[in-house]
mmCIF file of all heavy atoms in Angstrom:
data_model
loop_
_atom_site.group_PDB
_atom_site.id
_atom_site.type_symbol
_atom_site.label_atom_id
_atom_site.label_comp_id
_atom_site.label_asym_id
_atom_site.label_seq_id
_atom_site.Cartn_x
_atom_site.Cartn_y
_atom_site.Cartn_z
ATOM 1 N N GLU A 1 18.380 8.002 -0.037
ATOM 2 C CA GLU A 1 17.692 7.142 0.941
ATOM 3 C C GLU A 1 16.246 7.623 1.163
ATOM 4 O O GLU A 1 15.303 6.806 1.202
ATOM 5 C CB GLU A 1 18.406 7.118 2.262
ATOM 6 C CG GLU A 1 19.573 6.200 2.331
ATOM 7 C CD GLU A 1 19.132 4.735 2.171
ATOM 8 O OE1 GLU A 1 18.342 4.227 2.975
ATOM 9 O OE2 GLU A 1 19.647 4.070 1.244
ATOM 10 N N VAL A 2 16.069 8.918 1.317
ATOM 11 C CA VAL A 2 14.758 9.472 1.503
ATOM 12 C C VAL A 2 13.882 9.201 0.284
ATOM 13 O O VAL A 2 12.709 8.826 0.428
ATOM 14 C CB VAL A 2 14.807 10.989 1.835
ATOM 15 C CG1 VAL A 2 13.407 11.614 1.875
ATOM 16 C CG2 VAL A 2 15.599 11.279 3.118
ATOM 17 N N ASP A 3 14.463 9.423 -0.899
ATOM 18 C CA ASP A 3 13.686 9.119 -2.145
ATOM 19 C C ASP A 3 13.276 7.690 -2.226
ATOM 20 O O ASP A 3 12.146 7.369 -2.619
ATOM 21 C CB ASP A 3 14.567 9.507 -3.376
ATOM 22 C CG ASP A 3 14.555 11.006 -3.642
ATOM 23 O OD1 ASP A 3 13.637 11.702 -3.108
ATOM 24 O OD2 ASP A 3 15.431 11.455 -4.383
ATOM 25 N N ARG A 4 14.169 6.817 -1.809
ATOM 26 C CA ARG A 4 13.862 5.331 -1.878
ATOM 27 C C ARG A 4 12.660 5.035 -1.027
ATOM 28 O O ARG A 4 11.774 4.296 -1.439
ATOM 29 C CB ARG A 4 15.050 4.536 -1.366
ATOM 30 C CG ARG A 4 14.938 3.079 -1.480
ATOM 31 C CD ARG A 4 16.284 2.384 -1.117
ATOM 32 N NE ARG A 4 16.542 2.414 0.324
ATOM 33 C CZ ARG A 4 16.150 1.431 1.187
ATOM 34 N NH1 ARG A 4 15.487 0.385 0.695
ATOM 35 N NH2 ARG A 4 16.441 1.518 2.430
ATOM 36 N N VAL A 5 12.517 5.659 0.126
ATOM 37 C CA VAL A 5 11.395 5.436 1.027
ATOM 38 C C VAL A 5 10.174 6.140 0.501
ATOM 39 O O VAL A 5 9.088 5.527 0.449
ATOM 40 C CB VAL A 5 11.712 5.884 2.478
ATOM 41 C CG1 VAL A 5 10.460 5.794 3.339
ATOM 42 C CG2 VAL A 5 12.840 5.059 3.070
ATOM 43 N N ALA A 6 10.317 7.383 0.125
ATOM 44 C CA ALA A 6 9.142 8.170 -0.314
ATOM 45 C C ALA A 6 8.455 7.605 -1.569
ATOM 46 O O ALA A 6 7.281 7.605 -1.732
ATOM 47 C CB ALA A 6 9.550 9.616 -0.518
ATOM 48 N N LYS A 7 9.314 7.081 -2.471
ATOM 49 C CA LYS A 7 8.768 6.546 -3.737
ATOM 50 C C LYS A 7 7.946 5.327 -3.567
ATOM 51 O O LYS A 7 7.010 5.076 -4.346
ATOM 52 C CB LYS A 7 9.896 6.220 -4.732
ATOM 53 C CG LYS A 7 10.503 7.494 -5.314
ATOM 54 C CD LYS A 7 11.610 7.163 -6.281
ATOM 55 C CE LYS A 7 12.218 8.463 -6.822
ATOM 56 N NZ LYS A 7 13.410 8.194 -7.652
ATOM 57 N N VAL A 8 8.175 4.536 -2.512
ATOM 58 C CA VAL A 8 7.333 3.334 -2.310
ATOM 59 C C VAL A 8 6.265 3.545 -1.278
ATOM 60 O O VAL A 8 5.460 2.629 -1.038
ATOM 61 C CB VAL A 8 8.172 2.108 -1.899
ATOM 62 C CG1 VAL A 8 9.161 1.740 -2.966
ATOM 63 C CG2 VAL A 8 8.836 2.311 -0.575
ATOM 64 N N PHE A 9 6.131 4.755 -0.741
ATOM 65 C CA PHE A 9 5.085 4.983 0.236
ATOM 66 C C PHE A 9 3.758 4.997 -0.521
ATOM 67 O O PHE A 9 3.566 5.681 -1.496
ATOM 68 C CB PHE A 9 5.286 6.379 0.914
ATOM 69 C CG PHE A 9 4.463 6.488 2.200
ATOM 70 C CD1 PHE A 9 4.924 5.939 3.353
ATOM 71 C CD2 PHE A 9 3.256 7.150 2.171
ATOM 72 C CE1 PHE A 9 4.201 6.069 4.545
ATOM 73 C CE2 PHE A 9 2.490 7.253 3.308
ATOM 74 C CZ PHE A 9 2.971 6.713 4.520
ATOM 75 N N PRO A 10 2.784 4.142 -0.057
ATOM 76 C CA PRO A 10 1.538 4.037 -0.773
ATOM 77 C C PRO A 10 0.753 5.337 -0.815
ATOM 78 O O PRO A 10 0.758 6.105 0.102
ATOM 79 C CB PRO A 10 0.776 2.956 0.003
ATOM 80 C CG PRO A 10 1.562 2.692 1.248
ATOM 81 C CD PRO A 10 2.867 3.363 1.181
ATOM 82 N N SER A 11 0.093 5.540 -1.944
ATOM 83 C CA SER A 11 -0.711 6.744 -2.076
ATOM 84 C C SER A 11 -2.067 6.682 -1.332
ATOM 85 O O SER A 11 -2.685 7.654 -1.060
ATOM 86 C CB SER A 11 -0.947 7.114 -3.545
ATOM 87 O OG SER A 11 -1.549 6.026 -4.205
ATOM 88 N N HIS A 12 -2.478 5.446 -1.019
ATOM 89 C CA HIS A 12 -3.708 5.252 -0.285
ATOM 90 C C HIS A 12 -3.337 4.661 1.059
ATOM 91 O O HIS A 12 -2.651 3.631 1.156
ATOM 92 C CB HIS A 12 -4.655 4.274 -1.009
ATOM 93 C CG HIS A 12 -5.097 4.807 -2.313
ATOM 94 N ND1 HIS A 12 -6.017 5.810 -2.439
ATOM 95 C CD2 HIS A 12 -4.702 4.512 -3.564
ATOM 96 C CE1 HIS A 12 -6.179 6.070 -3.730
ATOM 97 N NE2 HIS A 12 -5.381 5.334 -4.434
ATOM 98 N N LEU A 13 -3.748 5.271 2.156
ATOM 99 C CA LEU A 13 -3.321 4.882 3.463
ATOM 100 C C LEU A 13 -4.318 4.031 4.247
ATOM 101 O O LEU A 13 -4.236 3.879 5.426
ATOM 102 C CB LEU A 13 -2.981 6.102 4.305
ATOM 103 C CG LEU A 13 -1.898 6.984 3.684
ATOM 104 C CD1 LEU A 13 -1.658 8.188 4.594
ATOM 105 C CD2 LEU A 13 -0.664 6.248 3.441
ATOM 106 N N THR A 14 -5.239 3.359 3.520
ATOM 107 C CA THR A 14 -6.272 2.595 4.224
ATOM 108 C C THR A 14 -5.775 1.167 4.448
ATOM 109 O O THR A 14 -6.490 0.442 5.212
ATOM 110 C CB THR A 14 -7.588 2.568 3.484
ATOM 111 O OG1 THR A 14 -7.346 2.117 2.162
ATOM 112 C CG2 THR A 14 -8.218 3.947 3.446
ATOM 113 N N ALA A 15 -4.685 0.729 3.885
ATOM 114 C CA ALA A 15 -4.216 -0.622 4.163
ATOM 115 C C ALA A 15 -3.342 -0.549 5.465
ATOM 116 O O ALA A 15 -2.739 0.449 5.760
ATOM 117 C CB ALA A 15 -3.293 -1.058 3.027
ATOM 118 N N THR A 16 -3.296 -1.660 6.179
ATOM 119 C CA THR A 16 -2.547 -1.682 7.402
ATOM 120 C C THR A 16 -1.075 -1.759 7.046
ATOM 121 O O THR A 16 -0.704 -2.191 5.936
ATOM 122 C CB THR A 16 -2.925 -2.865 8.280
ATOM 123 O OG1 THR A 16 -2.531 -4.072 7.592
ATOM 124 C CG2 THR A 16 -4.381 -2.866 8.627
ATOM 125 N N LEU A 17 -0.195 -1.381 7.989
ATOM 126 C CA LEU A 17 1.222 -1.414 7.712
ATOM 127 C C LEU A 17 1.897 -2.609 8.419
ATOM 128 O O LEU A 17 3.068 -2.724 8.437
ATOM 129 C CB LEU A 17 1.901 -0.124 8.225
ATOM 130 C CG LEU A 17 1.551 1.111 7.403
ATOM 131 C CD1 LEU A 17 2.184 2.339 8.021
ATOM 132 C CD2 LEU A 17 1.977 0.955 5.961
ATOM 133 N N ALA A 18 1.106 -3.525 8.914
ATOM 134 C CA ALA A 18 1.641 -4.719 9.579
ATOM 135 C C ALA A 18 1.367 -5.942 8.677
ATOM 136 O O ALA A 18 0.356 -6.014 8.015
ATOM 137 C CB ALA A 18 1.011 -4.919 10.933
ATOM 138 N N GLY A 19 2.328 -6.845 8.669
ATOM 139 C CA GLY A 19 2.080 -8.122 8.007
ATOM 140 C C GLY A 19 2.173 -7.989 6.500
ATOM 141 O O GLY A 19 2.646 -6.995 5.968
ATOM 142 N N VAL A 20 1.759 -9.035 5.809
ATOM 143 C CA VAL A 20 1.807 -9.063 4.379
ATOM 144 C C VAL A 20 0.529 -8.486 3.807
ATOM 145 O O VAL A 20 -0.558 -8.710 4.337
ATOM 146 C CB VAL A 20 1.998 -10.513 3.856
ATOM 147 C CG1 VAL A 20 1.972 -10.592 2.352
ATOM 148 C CG2 VAL A 20 3.252 -11.113 4.472
ATOM 149 N N LEU A 21 0.651 -7.710 2.768
ATOM 150 C CA LEU A 21 -0.529 -7.056 2.169
ATOM 151 C C LEU A 21 -1.511 -8.178 1.653
ATOM 152 O O LEU A 21 -1.138 -9.056 0.935
ATOM 153 C CB LEU A 21 -0.133 -6.217 0.986
ATOM 154 C CG LEU A 21 -1.284 -5.516 0.265
ATOM 155 C CD1 LEU A 21 -1.975 -4.489 1.205
ATOM 156 C CD2 LEU A 21 -0.790 -4.786 -0.947
ATOM 157 N N ALA A 22 -2.677 -8.066 2.182
ATOM 158 C CA ALA A 22 -3.742 -9.025 1.749
ATOM 159 C C ALA A 22 -5.022 -8.241 1.513
ATOM 160 O O ALA A 22 -5.171 -7.113 1.965
ATOM 161 C CB ALA A 22 -3.956 -10.049 2.862
ATOM 162 N N GLU A 23 -5.917 -8.814 0.804
ATOM 163 C CA GLU A 23 -7.169 -8.169 0.473
ATOM 164 C C GLU A 23 -7.887 -7.775 1.754
ATOM 165 O O GLU A 23 -8.553 -6.775 1.869
ATOM 166 C CB GLU A 23 -8.047 -9.074 -0.347
ATOM 167 C CG GLU A 23 -7.550 -9.256 -1.796
ATOM 168 C CD GLU A 23 -7.539 -7.994 -2.613
ATOM 169 O OE1 GLU A 23 -8.478 -7.203 -2.523
ATOM 170 O OE2 GLU A 23 -6.557 -7.784 -3.330
ATOM 171 N N LYS A 24 -7.755 -8.574 2.826
ATOM 172 C CA LYS A 24 -8.436 -8.306 4.076
ATOM 173 C C LYS A 24 -7.884 -7.040 4.736
ATOM 174 O O LYS A 24 -8.579 -6.448 5.623
ATOM 175 C CB LYS A 24 -8.337 -9.493 5.024
ATOM 176 C CG LYS A 24 -6.902 -9.710 5.590
ATOM 177 C CD LYS A 24 -6.920 -10.834 6.577
ATOM 178 C CE LYS A 24 -5.562 -11.080 7.153
ATOM 179 N NZ LYS A 24 -4.885 -9.939 7.772
ATOM 180 N N ASP A 25 -6.676 -6.617 4.412
ATOM 181 C CA ASP A 25 -6.101 -5.405 5.002
ATOM 182 C C ASP A 25 -6.631 -4.110 4.390
ATOM 183 O O ASP A 25 -6.375 -3.038 4.924
ATOM 184 C CB ASP A 25 -4.570 -5.397 4.816
ATOM 185 C CG ASP A 25 -3.911 -6.515 5.616
ATOM 186 O OD1 ASP A 25 -4.460 -6.917 6.665
ATOM 187 O OD2 ASP A 25 -2.865 -7.000 5.167
ATOM 188 N N ILE A 26 -7.372 -4.192 3.341
ATOM 189 C CA ILE A 26 -7.847 -2.999 2.626
ATOM 190 C C ILE A 26 -9.321 -2.737 3.029
ATOM 191 O O ILE A 26 -10.129 -3.694 2.996
ATOM 192 C CB ILE A 26 -7.732 -3.181 1.113
ATOM 193 C CG1 ILE A 26 -6.255 -3.425 0.756
ATOM 194 C CG2 ILE A 26 -8.273 -1.956 0.399
ATOM 195 C CD1 ILE A 26 -5.996 -3.777 -0.709
ATOM 196 N N ASP A 27 -9.648 -1.535 3.367
ATOM 197 C CA ASP A 27 -10.994 -1.140 3.689
ATOM 198 C C ASP A 27 -11.889 -1.486 2.493
ATOM 199 O O ASP A 27 -11.579 -1.097 1.354
ATOM 200 C CB ASP A 27 -11.036 0.370 3.925
ATOM 201 C CG ASP A 27 -12.405 0.886 4.310
ATOM 202 O OD1 ASP A 27 -13.418 0.221 3.987
ATOM 203 O OD2 ASP A 27 -12.460 2.021 4.840
ATOM 204 N N PRO A 28 -12.942 -2.249 2.731
ATOM 205 C CA PRO A 28 -13.797 -2.668 1.594
ATOM 206 C C PRO A 28 -14.301 -1.522 0.721
ATOM 207 O O PRO A 28 -14.471 -1.700 -0.474
ATOM 208 C CB PRO A 28 -14.974 -3.407 2.324
ATOM 209 C CG PRO A 28 -14.468 -3.795 3.652
ATOM 210 C CD PRO A 28 -13.426 -2.793 4.016
ATOM 211 N N LYS A 29 -14.482 -0.366 1.342
ATOM 212 C CA LYS A 29 -14.965 0.779 0.568
ATOM 213 C C LYS A 29 -13.855 1.317 -0.375
ATOM 214 O O LYS A 29 -14.163 2.065 -1.304
ATOM 215 C CB LYS A 29 -15.371 1.928 1.522
ATOM 216 C CG LYS A 29 -16.550 1.586 2.396
ATOM 217 C CD LYS A 29 -16.798 2.682 3.385
ATOM 218 C CE LYS A 29 -17.848 2.282 4.405
ATOM 219 N NZ LYS A 29 -17.963 3.204 5.502
ATOM 220 N N GLN A 30 -12.607 0.958 -0.119
ATOM 221 C CA GLN A 30 -11.462 1.446 -0.879
ATOM 222 C C GLN A 30 -10.925 0.427 -1.885
ATOM 223 O O GLN A 30 -10.025 0.777 -2.642
ATOM 224 C CB GLN A 30 -10.371 1.871 0.060
ATOM 225 C CG GLN A 30 -10.735 3.009 0.985
ATOM 226 C CD GLN A 30 -10.915 4.323 0.217
ATOM 227 O OE1 GLN A 30 -10.148 4.606 -0.661
ATOM 228 N NE2 GLN A 30 -11.890 5.084 0.609
ATOM 229 N N LYS A 31 -11.435 -0.751 -1.920
ATOM 230 C CA LYS A 31 -10.880 -1.815 -2.793
ATOM 231 C C LYS A 31 -10.785 -1.382 -4.237
ATOM 232 O O LYS A 31 -9.832 -1.698 -4.915
ATOM 233 C CB LYS A 31 -11.665 -3.119 -2.706
ATOM 234 C CG LYS A 31 -11.310 -3.900 -1.451
ATOM 235 C CD LYS A 31 -11.869 -5.251 -1.477
ATOM 236 C CE LYS A 31 -11.559 -5.931 -0.152
ATOM 237 N NZ LYS A 31 -11.278 -7.298 -0.199
ATOM 238 N N ASP A 32 -11.736 -0.643 -4.716
ATOM 239 C CA ASP A 32 -11.770 -0.241 -6.117
ATOM 240 C C ASP A 32 -10.694 0.770 -6.479
ATOM 241 O O ASP A 32 -10.342 0.901 -7.595
ATOM 242 C CB ASP A 32 -13.166 0.343 -6.475
ATOM 243 C CG ASP A 32 -14.239 -0.699 -6.431
ATOM 244 O OD1 ASP A 32 -13.925 -1.897 -6.471
ATOM 245 O OD2 ASP A 32 -15.424 -0.290 -6.321
ATOM 246 N N VAL A 33 -10.217 1.535 -5.450
ATOM 247 C CA VAL A 33 -9.200 2.547 -5.734
ATOM 248 C C VAL A 33 -7.784 2.027 -5.666
ATOM 249 O O VAL A 33 -6.828 2.731 -6.015
ATOM 250 C CB VAL A 33 -9.355 3.796 -4.837
ATOM 251 C CG1 VAL A 33 -10.705 4.458 -5.011
ATOM 252 C CG2 VAL A 33 -9.129 3.432 -3.387
ATOM 253 N N PHE A 34 -7.599 0.821 -5.164
ATOM 254 C CA PHE A 34 -6.248 0.246 -5.063
ATOM 255 C C PHE A 34 -5.873 -0.426 -6.373
ATOM 256 O O PHE A 34 -6.474 -1.379 -6.829
ATOM 257 C CB PHE A 34 -6.185 -0.790 -3.946
ATOM 258 C CG PHE A 34 -5.873 -0.224 -2.610
ATOM 259 C CD1 PHE A 34 -6.882 0.271 -1.784
ATOM 260 C CD2 PHE A 34 -4.590 -0.140 -2.176
ATOM 261 C CE1 PHE A 34 -6.588 0.830 -0.586
ATOM 262 C CE2 PHE A 34 -4.274 0.380 -0.959
ATOM 263 C CZ PHE A 34 -5.265 0.884 -0.137
ATOM 264 N N THR A 35 -4.824 0.047 -7.004
ATOM 265 C CA THR A 35 -4.316 -0.541 -8.196
ATOM 266 C C THR A 35 -3.272 -1.585 -7.785
ATOM 267 O O THR A 35 -2.861 -1.610 -6.629
ATOM 268 C CB THR A 35 -3.622 0.501 -9.101
ATOM 269 O OG1 THR A 35 -2.456 0.995 -8.380
ATOM 270 C CG2 THR A 35 -4.565 1.622 -9.495
ATOM 271 N N SER A 36 -2.849 -2.430 -8.731
ATOM 272 C CA SER A 36 -1.778 -3.383 -8.430
ATOM 273 C C SER A 36 -0.529 -2.698 -8.035
ATOM 274 O O SER A 36 0.244 -3.161 -7.199
ATOM 275 C CB SER A 36 -1.551 -4.329 -9.608
ATOM 276 O OG SER A 36 -1.219 -3.612 -10.736
ATOM 277 N N GLU A 37 -0.276 -1.500 -8.628
ATOM 278 C CA GLU A 37 0.905 -0.673 -8.242
ATOM 279 C C GLU A 37 0.809 -0.230 -6.820
ATOM 280 O O GLU A 37 1.829 -0.265 -6.088
ATOM 281 C CB GLU A 37 1.039 0.504 -9.206
ATOM 282 C CG GLU A 37 2.299 1.313 -8.953
ATOM 283 C CD GLU A 37 2.394 2.570 -9.872
ATOM 284 O OE1 GLU A 37 1.658 2.635 -10.861
ATOM 285 O OE2 GLU A 37 3.190 3.446 -9.533
ATOM 286 N N ASP A 38 -0.383 0.197 -6.385
ATOM 287 C CA ASP A 38 -0.560 0.626 -4.971
ATOM 288 C C ASP A 38 -0.261 -0.522 -4.072
ATOM 289 O O ASP A 38 0.419 -0.366 -2.990
ATOM 290 C CB ASP A 38 -1.993 1.103 -4.772
ATOM 291 C CG ASP A 38 -2.345 2.400 -5.412
ATOM 292 O OD1 ASP A 38 -1.448 3.242 -5.524
ATOM 293 O OD2 ASP A 38 -3.491 2.556 -5.836
ATOM 294 N N LYS A 39 -0.749 -1.709 -4.369
ATOM 295 C CA LYS A 39 -0.504 -2.892 -3.526
ATOM 296 C C LYS A 39 0.975 -3.197 -3.459
ATOM 297 O O LYS A 39 1.507 -3.525 -2.418
ATOM 298 C CB LYS A 39 -1.300 -4.067 -4.058
ATOM 299 C CG LYS A 39 -2.801 -3.918 -3.909
ATOM 300 C CD LYS A 39 -3.533 -5.106 -4.517
ATOM 301 C CE LYS A 39 -5.032 -4.898 -4.478
ATOM 302 N NZ LYS A 39 -5.776 -6.007 -5.094
ATOM 303 N N GLU A 40 1.687 -3.118 -4.618
ATOM 304 C CA GLU A 40 3.093 -3.420 -4.635
ATOM 305 C C GLU A 40 3.885 -2.399 -3.799
ATOM 306 O O GLU A 40 4.793 -2.754 -3.001
ATOM 307 C CB GLU A 40 3.623 -3.423 -6.087
ATOM 308 C CG GLU A 40 5.029 -3.854 -6.242
ATOM 309 C CD GLU A 40 5.238 -5.334 -5.852
ATOM 310 O OE1 GLU A 40 4.345 -6.138 -5.967
ATOM 311 O OE2 GLU A 40 6.345 -5.652 -5.325
ATOM 312 N N LYS A 41 3.489 -1.105 -3.944
ATOM 313 C CA LYS A 41 4.163 -0.083 -3.102
ATOM 314 C C LYS A 41 3.951 -0.334 -1.612
ATOM 315 O O LYS A 41 4.870 -0.177 -0.813
ATOM 316 C CB LYS A 41 3.614 1.322 -3.509
ATOM 317 C CG LYS A 41 4.175 1.817 -4.744
ATOM 318 C CD LYS A 41 3.653 3.229 -5.025
ATOM 319 C CE LYS A 41 4.165 3.789 -6.315
ATOM 320 N NZ LYS A 41 3.688 5.166 -6.530
ATOM 321 N N ALA A 42 2.750 -0.718 -1.253
ATOM 322 C CA ALA A 42 2.450 -0.957 0.162
ATOM 323 C C ALA A 42 3.286 -2.126 0.695
ATOM 324 O O ALA A 42 3.853 -2.107 1.758
ATOM 325 C CB ALA A 42 0.953 -1.231 0.349
ATOM 326 N N TYR A 43 3.382 -3.179 -0.126
ATOM 327 C CA TYR A 43 4.213 -4.322 0.226
ATOM 328 C C TYR A 43 5.678 -3.912 0.401
ATOM 329 O O TYR A 43 6.334 -4.266 1.374
ATOM 330 C CB TYR A 43 4.019 -5.427 -0.794
ATOM 331 C CG TYR A 43 4.866 -6.652 -0.507
ATOM 332 C CD1 TYR A 43 4.498 -7.541 0.472
ATOM 333 C CD2 TYR A 43 6.041 -6.918 -1.214
ATOM 334 C CE1 TYR A 43 5.244 -8.677 0.792
ATOM 335 C CE2 TYR A 43 6.810 -8.050 -0.924
ATOM 336 C CZ TYR A 43 6.407 -8.895 0.064
ATOM 337 O OH TYR A 43 7.130 -9.996 0.342
ATOM 338 N N ASP A 44 6.207 -3.134 -0.579
ATOM 339 C CA ASP A 44 7.661 -2.731 -0.530
ATOM 340 C C ASP A 44 7.845 -1.823 0.707
ATOM 341 O O ASP A 44 8.912 -1.912 1.339
ATOM 342 C CB ASP A 44 8.047 -1.972 -1.803
ATOM 343 C CG ASP A 44 8.111 -2.860 -3.026
ATOM 344 O OD1 ASP A 44 8.163 -4.123 -2.849
ATOM 345 O OD2 ASP A 44 8.130 -2.357 -4.127
ATOM 346 N N PHE A 45 6.905 -0.970 1.004
ATOM 347 C CA PHE A 45 7.066 -0.076 2.146
ATOM 348 C C PHE A 45 7.104 -0.896 3.428
ATOM 349 O O PHE A 45 7.943 -0.637 4.332
ATOM 350 C CB PHE A 45 5.961 0.948 2.202
ATOM 351 C CG PHE A 45 6.144 1.981 3.253
ATOM 352 C CD1 PHE A 45 7.050 3.015 3.036
ATOM 353 C CD2 PHE A 45 5.528 1.881 4.497
ATOM 354 C CE1 PHE A 45 7.288 3.990 4.031
ATOM 355 C CE2 PHE A 45 5.753 2.843 5.456
ATOM 356 C CZ PHE A 45 6.634 3.911 5.252
ATOM 357 N N ARG A 46 6.276 -1.936 3.541
ATOM 358 C CA ARG A 46 6.292 -2.794 4.690
ATOM 359 C C ARG A 46 7.620 -3.520 4.855
ATOM 360 O O ARG A 46 8.164 -3.640 5.945
ATOM 361 C CB ARG A 46 5.171 -3.834 4.622
ATOM 362 C CG ARG A 46 3.820 -3.274 4.874
ATOM 363 C CD ARG A 46 2.829 -4.404 5.106
ATOM 364 N NE ARG A 46 1.563 -3.798 5.300
ATOM 365 C CZ ARG A 46 0.606 -3.882 4.379
ATOM 366 N NH1 ARG A 46 0.795 -4.488 3.269
ATOM 367 N NH2 ARG A 46 -0.550 -3.303 4.609
#
């Protein structure tokens, strides 16, 4: 169970944890460092 949660925890913490992941939730300075995998992990974690 712990592994299931830890594996989807996003590596970049600048996205909000509320609502659906959207471009507006990402700090504009960090947009370039977010991969599609990071976005998917953030969505799964939410």
Side-chain angles (χ1 to χ4, degrees):
E1 279 294 304
V2 175
D3 281 341
R4 185 174 74 93
V5 173
K7 285 179 182 174
V8 299
F9 197 82
S11 57
H12 299 284
L13 301 180
T14 56
T16 64
L17 290 178
V20 178
L21 180 64
E23 291 295 319
K24 69 176 182 57
D25 293 330
I26 301 172
D27 181 339
K29 297 174 189 171
Q30 297 291 320
K31 281 192 184 215
D32 294 340
V33 298
F34 273 86
T35 65
S36 58
E37 183 181 345
D38 290 326
K39 291 177 186 177
E40 187 64 31
K41 283 182 179 181
Y43 179 76
D44 289 344
F45 188 78
R46 284 193 184 107

